[in-house]
Amino acid sequence: MSQNTSVQKTTPKKAQSPFIRNWKAFLKRLVTNNSAIIGGSLIIILAILAIIGPNIASEGINQHDYTKQLLGPTAENWFGTDQYGRDILSRILHGMSTTFIIGFGSVAIAASVGITIGVISGYYGGIIDTIVMRIMDILLAFPSIVLALAIVATLGSGLENIILAIAVSSFPVFARIARGSTLAVRKLEYIDAVRALGASDGRIIFKHILPNTLSPLIVQTTLSIATGVLAAAGLSFLGLGAPEPSPEWGSMLNDGRNYMYQAPHMTYFPGLAIVLFVIAFNIFGDGIRDALDPKLKR
């Protein structure tokens, strides 16, 4: 009696690249980091409110009721009313999407331009690096809010000009970080090996250098969103923000400063909204930093 033996072929698993393994480890540390969980939860809640806020708001952004001017918090108007009798809570909910647009829009432009300039400058070096970095030094010599103020004063007020001004004042920081990370990665031996095998500059930059420079850039992105929102609020507070009746939080603070003693709630609640937004992204940024660098222990 013959017994057939079956040979079971096993296909070896495809080895994962170090980049994928590192990012899986990062995500695992991120979901167990308290700062990331708290900050991320706050950001998700704020994002949901930004989406559904206009639908759950009891009033529109410019619904006047002069019989309820400067009322404090009541059961009908939880955050009170402003000088035109408009519900402050409704305006904060409507303005939350504007805040997200300013934060993410300005950082998207700043990161795209700054990372591109920084990587090219750090990779090629020489006269290109010298010229680019001296320009960045000049821009960094100005306080970001002063530079943004000068740009908005030149271009005029408006949401688009605010986003552009904040992006211009922020991209030198991204350029410096991207350049420093590129200089560190460019000197590694495996970059020389890839170049010796005939890889083009574009392939080296996008496949080998850029993925290894993302860690500090991601942290800077989250922190820059909070900084951008603060800058936008500062510009609006100075009267250079989105024009009326836009419910931008900085503009609401600007309206409330004339009624600080008569109706302090006009500044308290928009100010608390800005503080909560900034704290959420700062805490989340701390969590990302700790997850990206497990050697950091508080």
Side-chain angles (χ1 to χ4, degrees), residues 79 87-96 247 249 252 269-270 273:
F79 288 1
D87 183 58
I88 294 178
L89 175 58
S90 298
R91 288 177 58 79
I92 288 177
L93 291 174
H94 280 280
M96 195 167 294
W249 294 346
M252 295 176 68
F269 293 111

Side-chain angles (χ1 to χ4, degrees), residues 107 218-228 281-286:
V107 169
I218 291 175
V219 177
Q220 182 61 37
T221 297
T222 58
L223 299 179
S224 293
I225 292 175
T227 305
F281 277 93
N282 281 340
I283 293 176
F284 187 63
D286 289 341

Side-chain angles (χ1 to χ4, degrees), residues 89-110:
L89 175 58
S90 298
R91 288 177 58 79
I92 288 177
L93 291 174
H94 280 280
M96 195 167 294
S97 58
T98 303
T99 303
F100 270 96
I101 291 173
I102 292 173
F104 282 91
S106 60
V107 169
I109 297 173

Side-chain angles (χ1 to χ4, degrees), residues 100-131:
F100 270 96
I101 291 173
I102 292 173
F104 282 91
S106 60
V107 169
I109 297 173
S112 300
V113 176
I115 292 173
T116 301
I117 292 176
V119 171
I120 292 175
S121 176
Y123 181 78
Y124 289 103
I127 188 65
I128 296 177
D129 183 40
T130 301
I131 295 175

Side-chain angles (χ1 to χ4, degrees), residues 71-83:
L71 291 180
T74 62
E76 183 180 358
N77 305 104
W78 290 2
F79 288 1
T81 60
D82 63 7
Q83 72 272 29

Side-chain angles (χ1 to χ4, degrees), residues 19 115 119 178 182 185 204-215 217:
F19 176 75
I115 292 173
V119 171
T182 301
V185 176
I204 294 174
I205 290 174
F206 287 102
K207 188 173 181 179
H208 299 284
I209 290 182
L210 192 57
N212 290 288
T213 61
L214 290 180
S215 297
L217 293 172

